[in-house]
Amino acid sequence: MADCLFCSIVEGKIPAAKVYEDEWCVAFRDIKPQAPLHVLIVPRKHIPTLNDLTADDAELVGRLLLAAQEIARQENVAEAGYRTVFNCNAAAGQMVFHIHLHLLGGRNLGWPPG
Ligand code: AMP
Ligand code: ZN
């Protein structure tokens, strides 16, 4: 989609520190990390928010979580623990309107989140 930051990263038009990619998604380090490990797992398909998912996207969402599992292993946080988060719309602080799964790790993560 034109004018979408994450579509531009997926298409390689804007650089990012990629850590993983497959046929479903591209994953790269967050530019403003909130933990020692902070990766964004972004589907190749443009979907603005979680509210826009349909049943056709069921496999895509599962694939994002499998990518998170793989990256957590690769980055050595799988055993210690990590968190995955989708922010949806304003109250959750969504800033980029192309869904992305945050993968956070490398420190103790407080609960409840802010
Ligand atoms: P959200 O608030 O859930 O929409 O998260 C958007 C995330 O994208 C934030 O954590 C930003 O720091 C991150 N971000 C914004 N621009 C970039 C970029 N060019 N490369 C990597 N991460 C980015
Ligand atoms: Zn997009």
Side-chain angles (χ1 to χ4, degrees), residues 1 4-8 43-47 97-99:
M1 197 206 189
C4 170
L5 175 62
F6 286 174
C7 281
S8 297
R44 293 185 185 277
K45 179 180 176 185
H46 180 87
I47 301 169
F97 287 84
H98 176 139
I99 61 165

Side-chain angles (χ1 to χ4, degrees), residues 5-6 9 28-32 38 40 87 93-96 100 102:
L5 175 62
F6 286 174
I9 290 177
F28 49 88
R29 296 192 193 280
D30 196 293
I31 208 165
K32 198 179 161 203
H38 188 174
L40 302 174
N87 292 323
Q94 185 176 2
M95 307 257 286
V96 178
H100 46 283
H102 293 258

Side-chain angles (χ1 to χ4, degrees), residues 1-2 8 23-24 26 37 65 67 75 81 86 89 96 102 108 112 114:
M1 197 206 189
S8 297
E23 68 177 287
W24 296 92
V26 174
L37 175 68
L65 285 162
E75 298 283 335
F86 282 109
N89 278 339
V96 178
H102 293 258
N108 287 325

